Amino acid sequence: MFVVTLTYLTDLDRVDEALPDHLSWLDRQYADGVFLASGRRVPRTGGVILAAGVDRAELDARLATDPFAERGLAGYEVTEFVASRVADGLERMREG
């Protein structure tokens, strides 16, 4: 499982211009089950994505196709972890 932290590298006007394309990209990641949750950071300095079901190389390849990445609007920090405990309904995220 991965926690992806996005940090905006530009002003919010440029981020907002690219937001519809970013949201379409997110929809594609959710459609195949890789992205589990996403949203804005508070304060609005970037975002957070929870992802699972792919290896790090595949995740990096997906992140590179994000319009925010392609346009140089956000930087990405990826933290991998092993979920040893999960809430009911999230069992597929646990290792093993």
Side-chain angles (χ1 to χ4, degrees):
M1 175 174 265
F2 301 92
V3 177
V4 180
T5 305
L6 287 74
T7 301
Y8 297 142
L9 303 174
T10 188
D11 61 73
L12 289 178
D13 289 339
R14 291 194 58 214
V15 170
D16 287 340
E17 288 173 8
L19 193 56
D21 293 334
H22 173 73
L23 294 175
S24 293
W25 173 81
L26 283 172
D27 288 342
R28 293 190 299 276
Q29 310 315 308
Y30 277 102
D32 65 6
V34 172
F35 284 12
L36 308 173
S38 61
R40 293 179 177 170
R41 289 167 49 187
V42 178
R44 191 175 172 207
T45 58
V48 175
I49 299 168
L50 297 181
V54 294
D55 62 25
R56 176 63 189 264
E58 171 65 20
L59 179 61
D60 287 343
R62 287 171 182 258
L63 295 174
T65 66
D66 179 358
F68 285 176
E70 293 176 332
R71 298 173 195 176
L73 304 177
Y76 301 77
E77 180 181 338
V78 178
T79 303
E80 184 173 4
F81 75 100
V82 175
S84 56
R85 294 182 69 180
V86 297
D88 291 343
L90 299 179
E91 292 83 3
R92 78 174 188 92
M93 297 172 17
R94 189 173 47 225
E95 180 184 40

